[in-house]
Amino acid sequence: MSASSPLLEVMNLRTSFAVGDRRVKAVRGVSFAIADEEVLGLIGESGSGKTVTGMSLLRLLPEHAAVEADAIRFRGKELSGLGDDDFRALRGVQLAMIFQDPVGSFNPAKTIGWHLQHAIERRSEADAKSWRSEAESLLLDVGIRAPERVLSSYPHQLSGGMLQRALIAMIIALRPALIIADEPTTNLDNLVERQILDLIRLHQRRLKASVLFVTHDLAIAEDICDRIAVMYAGEIVEIGPAEDVLRRPKHPYAACLLQTSLSLEQRDEFLFELAGEPGGRIPEEGCAFAGRCPKTMPQCRTIHPEMRAVGPGHQARCLLHGD
Amino acid sequence: MATEPTSLPVQGPAMQLRDIVLDFRTRSGFGQDKVFRALDSVSLDIGPGEVIGLVGESGSGKTTLGKTMLGVHRPTAGQILYRGADLANLSARGWKPFRRDLQMVFQDPLSSFNPRFTLGSSLALPLALHDVVPKKQIPDEVASLLTRVGLTPEHARRYPHELSGGQLQRVAIARAISVKPRIIVADEAVSKLDVSVRAQVLNLLKRMNRETGVGLVFITHDLGVARFLCDRIAVMYFGRIVEQGPTEAIFGDPRHPYTLSLLRARQHGRTPVASDADETALTIPDPARACHYAPRCARRTPQCIAERPVLAGGSHTFACFNPLSTQAAAAPAHAAMKA
C-alpha cells in the first residue's frame, strides 16, 4: 500500500443479526474512508446503523451478529483475516472507543488510578515506575484540577463528566491512531458536553489521531467533524465535507434533518416536520427513505439508488441527483 | 368521586409557588443523617395557559420542582397556592381533588404505560376514574383522543411495545390531556426522541397548549427546545432559580453568568465556558451563605463568597451581585442558539 492510503478504509460493510428465524440487516453495505488526522462524523437517527457500524469495526458485537465486508483496511492492512488475539492487541491501543456511558468502560471495583496505570503500561514503551506522575499530568490535561483525589477515586464516586474526562485521559495514554467515539456526550449536560467536545478535538489534534464520531446531533457534528456521513436504514445516504453536507445537503433526508434544526433556530411558529419515524421495516426494493420522503417519485419505489457524485468529495444516494 | 374543574379567576396565576424548600435526608449508616437541600426558596408563578420552561443541568432540581408541584414530594417549607388552597402540607388524600387538574408526561413513555394493558384501556382508565365522559362514550372519547394526537383509533388495540417511542409519547400526551387538566408537567418529554420525531412531538405539545389552554411546565436541559416552546423560562442551579423571565429576555438579555454560559455551551465557535473541574480550586468559609454559583463563576467577587444573592427585578429576575450588563450580553446571545 502506498503512503497516501487512508488510515481506515471500509468497503461494503454488512452486519446482520439473527432474530428468531430471520436475519435483520442493520448495516447494508457501508463504505467510507478516514484519512490521517481526520474527524469523520457518522450521523443518523436510532436504528440507522451508525452504532453497529462502529461496533462491527471493533468486533464488539455479540455472537449472533454476522459481520461481512469486502475490505476493512487499517493502514493498508486487511483486518478481517486477523485472529482474535492479534485483533485484541490492536484494539485498545491503535483503535480506541469512547462510549456514551463511561461507567461501562471502567471496572467498578478498581480505582481510576488502577485504570490509568494499566493503560500507561499497555503502551509498551512506558516506564512502569513513572506511571503515577504521568497519570497525574494526563488528568491535568483533561481539565481535572485535583488529580491525586481522582486517582484514588472509584468510578461511582465521580460524575459522568469527570468519568468521561478520565476515560479520555486513558485514551490519550494509549496514543491510538483511531478513536471511535459513540455519542460520547449524549448523557451529559450542555455545559459539560461542550467541555468534553473541546477536549476530544484538542487531543485529537495533539495526538494526530483520526476520529469516527457517531452522533445524532447535527450541531455537534458541525462543530467537531471535518467530513460527515449521514446514515439512514443501514446505508450511508450522503457523505462529504461537513460544510457541504450540513449547509447544502443533497439527499432529501439530510435536507429534512437540517430543515428541522433550522426551524428551531429561526423560531418558526411550528417546527418543520418530517413525516413518519425511523426504524421501520426496510422495503425489499427501492429507496429505504421513499416512504417518508417529501420528494418521492414513482421510480423511488422500485429502483435502489447508488451513490453518485454531487460535488467535490461529496456523494449522495438519491435518484434526484447524478446522471 | 368526580371533581369538576372550577372556573379560574380571570386574572392571577394558576399556581403560585412561594419559597419552596425541600430537604432530602440521606441515611449515612453511621451517626447523623445528612440533609441535602434539593430545593432552596423557590418561588414561581404559573399563569393560566402559560408554558414555563425549567432549564438547568442534571441535579439542579428541575425535576424535583416539577414533582413537588404535583404532590410527589412534600416540601419541607413554603406554599403551593392553587385554587385558593395551600397544597404544600396536604396529605396524599388531601391532594386527591387536585390530581385531575395536574398531570405529568415523563421522559420514557414505555415505562409510563402498563405493558399488559392495551393503550385503549390505559387511556380509558383515567376517563372512567374522573368521570370525564359517561361510560358509554369512553371508546369514542379514546378514539378521538388518539386522532387528536395524530394517531388512529386503531392504535387503541395495540400494546405499548408495539409502538415506537414517538407514537407512545403521543399516547402519553393524549392521556395527560384526556382529563382536561390545568397544568401538565412534562419532564424531558422529548429528550429521548429522534430529531425528526422530536419536532413532531414539540409541535403537538404547542398545538395542545393552544387548543386546550392547558398550562405547561416544560422541564428540559435543551435551551433550543425551551426557546421554541416556552413563554417564560426559569434557569435553575443547585436547587435555586438563578434567573427567570420572558423567553425573549433570557435569550436576548441574559443577566446571570450561569445563564450566559448555558447559552454559550450550544454556541458555535470557541467561547470558553466555566468548567465543573474548576470547582475544587476555591475554598469557601461558609458555603451556606455563599452564592451557589461562586465556585464556577468568572465574575466572582469577595461579596459572592460572603453573601448569597436573592432573586430581584420585575418580570425578569436574577440572583446575582454582578449581573451582566444588557449590552455586553446581547451580542453573543443572539448567535447562541444552534440546536
Side-chain angles (χ1 to χ4, degrees):
Chain A
M1 269 287 152
S2 69
S4 64
S5 70
L7 178 75
L8 179 77
E9 198 173 9
V10 178
M11 289 171 74
N12 199 14
L13 177 74
R14 304 173 303 277
T15 304
S16 62
F17 295 93
V19 176
D21 51 1
R22 56 192 192 97
R23 295 207 76 81
V24 174
K25 294 175 185 169
V27 178
R28 306 184 302 141
V30 161
S31 304
F32 61 88
I34 303 179
D36 282 310
E37 299 180 46
E38 184 180 55
V39 181
L40 174 68
L42 207 52
I43 64 178
E45 297 181 283
S46 50
S48 63
K50 57 191 194 303
T51 293
V52 176
T53 298
M55 303 276 263
S56 302
L57 295 176
L58 288 188
R59 297 196 194 171
L60 291 173
L61 291 170
E63 291 277 315
H64 67 288
V67 180
E68 294 170 290
D70 293 354
I72 301 174
R73 291 193 205 103
F74 180 69
R75 292 203 160 119
K77 192 181 160 204
E78 178 59 45
L79 290 188
S80 47
L82 223 53
D84 281 349
D85 286 344
D86 290 338
F87 191 82
R88 213 173 291 127
L90 199 64
R91 184 178 65 206
V93 182
Q94 291 288 322
L95 307 170
M97 186 141 184
I98 308 177
F99 295 96
Q100 181 174 339
D101 177 15
V103 179
S105 303
F106 288 89
N107 180 338
K110 303 288 186 188
T111 62
I112 303 301
W114 181 89
H115 288 90
L116 272 167
Q117 183 184 357
H118 279 71
I120 291 165
E121 284 172 2
R122 181 136 190 219
R123 200 192 61 229
S124 50
E125 77 266 32
D127 176 358
K129 278 187 184 156
S130 65
W131 77 266
R132 182 168 276 278
S133 63
E134 183 176 348
E136 285 182 6
S137 78
L138 282 168
L139 289 178
L140 286 170
D141 265 356
V142 295
I144 292 176
R145 285 285 187 89
E148 318 80 33
R149 188 174 61 86
V150 170
L151 279 180
S152 56
S153 299
Y154 288 88
H156 74 273
Q157 294 172 314
L158 300 180
S159 67
M162 290 290 262
L163 215 49
Q164 204 63 291
R165 285 173 200 276
L167 182 64
I168 292 171
M170 268 165 71
I171 286 171
I172 302 169
L174 294 165
R175 295 186 201 140
L178 176 67
I179 301 166
I180 298 182
D182 189 356
E183 306 261 12
T185 61
T186 304
N187 277 347
L188 303 174
D189 292 311
N190 286 178
L191 272 179
V192 186
E193 170 175 78
R194 153 70 43 211
Q195 296 158 15
I196 297 292
L197 289 175
D198 287 350
L199 267 182
I200 292 175
R201 196 61 162 149
L202 172 77
H203 289 287
Q204 174 264 330
R205 288 191 177 131
R206 275 199 202 163
L207 294 170
K208 301 190 188 303
S210 304
V211 178
L212 180 65
F213 195 94
V214 179
T215 181
H216 68 277
D217 191 321
L218 296 181
I220 288 176
E222 175 161 19
D223 240 15
I224 200 164
C225 300
D226 302 311
R227 280 196 311 139
I228 282 175
V230 180
M231 286 194 73
Y232 190 81
E235 290 179 311
I236 292 179
V237 295
E238 181 159 358
I239 188 167
E243 206 191 321
D244 291 344
V245 174
L246 292 174
R247 294 276 165 240
R248 294 170 291 279
K250 296 292 188 220
H251 194 282
Y253 174 62
C256 286
L257 287 184
L258 177 72
Q259 190 58 44
T260 303
S261 74
L262 276 182
S263 72
L264 197 56
E265 194 182 344
Q266 293 159 353
R267 315 213 50 216
D268 291 351
E269 181 63 15
F270 284 97
L271 299 176
F272 173 84
E273 274 186 41
L274 168 59
E277 298 203 16
R281 196 177 275 264
I282 300 164
E284 289 291 321
E285 54 181 11
C287 170
F289 187 59
R292 298 178 74 191
C293 184
K295 293 182 175 172
T296 310
M297 306 174 289
Q299 60 268 39
C300 296
R301 307 277 182 183
T302 52
I303 304 170
H304 181 254
E306 296 299 322
M307 279 300 236
R308 300 252 168 77
V310 291
H314 187 179
Q315 294 174 294
R317 189 185 290 282
C318 180
L319 296 178
L320 289 171
H321 301 290
D323 286 3
Chain B
M1 185 191 75
T3 48
E4 280 304 309
T6 50
S7 59
L8 276 169
V10 181
Q11 278 135 2
M15 183 185 267
Q16 287 179 290
L17 305 176
R18 287 278 161 272
D19 298 312
I20 297 287
V21 175
L22 180 67
D23 289 335
F24 284 124
R25 283 180 191 285
T26 52
R27 288 277 184 85
S28 64
F30 305 97
Q32 275 203 319
D33 291 353
K34 279 185 187 162
V35 171
F36 176 74
R37 183 147 291 187
L39 295 175
D40 193 351
S41 326
V42 173
S43 296
L44 188 67
D45 289 357
I46 300 149
E50 194 174 33
V51 185
I52 302 237
L54 294 182
V55 304
E57 295 166 279
S58 50
S60 62
K62 51 194 197 301
T63 295
T64 309
L65 182 61
K67 286 184 170 172
T68 305
M69 288 177 189
L70 304 184
V72 178
H73 302 301
R74 188 191 287 199
T76 311
Q79 296 174 298
I80 303 172
L81 303 174
Y82 180 76
R83 275 164 59 181
D86 179 6
L87 311 187
N89 289 308
L90 293 182
S91 60
R93 174 182 288 221
W95 271 89
K96 225 170 182 175
F98 303 101
R99 297 258 186 241
R100 177 179 173 177
D101 282 4
L102 310 169
Q103 295 292 320
M104 186 144 186
V105 175
F106 297 94
Q107 176 173 3
D108 180 11
L110 192 58
S111 62
S112 52
F113 285 96
N114 187 328
R116 294 179 188 281
F117 281 24
T118 61
L119 294 166
S121 34
S122 282
L123 283 173
L125 191 64
L127 293 176
L129 272 178
H130 294 290
D131 275 339
V132 179
V133 292
K135 279 245 153 39
K136 278 183 183 167
Q137 289 172 27
I138 285 180
D140 288 345
E141 181 70 12
V142 167
S144 105
L145 282 166
L146 287 168
T147 314
R148 274 172 75 191
V149 295
L151 299 169
T152 62
E154 188 267 330
H155 283 100
R157 288 195 298 274
R158 307 260 203 103
Y159 287 90
H161 71 270
E162 297 178 73
L163 268 64
S164 68
Q167 290 174 323
L168 214 48
Q169 201 59 295
R170 289 172 189 266
V171 183
I173 292 167
R175 182 172 59 181
I177 59 165
S178 69
V179 295
K180 304 184 171 65
R182 286 274 140 70
I183 295 172
I184 295 175
V185 176
D187 189 359
E188 299 279 9
V190 299
S191 54
K192 280 217 164 159
L193 303 176
D194 275 309
V195 186
S196 63
V197 181
R198 183 183 304 176
Q200 299 167 4
V201 173
L202 282 171
N203 282 343
L204 176 64
L205 282 169
K206 197 170 208 174
R207 221 170 274 136
M208 289 300 127
N209 167 254
R210 299 275 170 84
E211 286 174 13
T212 67
V214 65
L216 265 180
V217 177
F218 190 77
I219 298 169
T220 182
H221 66 277
D222 189 330
L223 284 163
V225 164
R227 187 178 202 179
F228 164 73
L229 199 59
C230 301
D231 305 314
R232 267 192 314 135
I233 287 177
V235 180
M236 293 192 71
Y237 186 79
F238 238 85
R240 305 185 79 211
I241 292 176
V242 295
E243 182 162 6
Q244 185 263 113
T247 303
E248 276 309 312
I250 296 290
F251 281 86
D253 183 22
R255 307 300 304 275
H256 197 284
Y258 178 63
T259 308
L260 184 67
S261 63
L262 279 182
L263 293 174
R264 283 191 172 163
R266 289 297 276 175
Q267 194 179 351
H268 281 257
R270 302 288 102 195
T271 324
V273 293
S275 166
D276 59 338
D278 290 345
E279 283 181 44
T280 47
L282 184 74
T283 45
I284 296 174
D286 183 3
R289 281 170 53 201
C291 172
H292 287 80
Y293 189 60
R296 287 170 75 173
C297 188
R299 301 171 68 84
R300 180 179 66 228
T301 62
Q303 188 187 14
C304 307
I305 299 172
E307 239 180 291
R308 178 165 296 174
V310 293
L311 269 181
S315 65
H316 180 185
T317 57
F318 44 91
C320 183
F321 293 125
N322 313 300
L324 300 147
S325 67
T326 304
Q327 277 77 14
H334 280 308
M337 289 321 304
K338 201 66 202 173

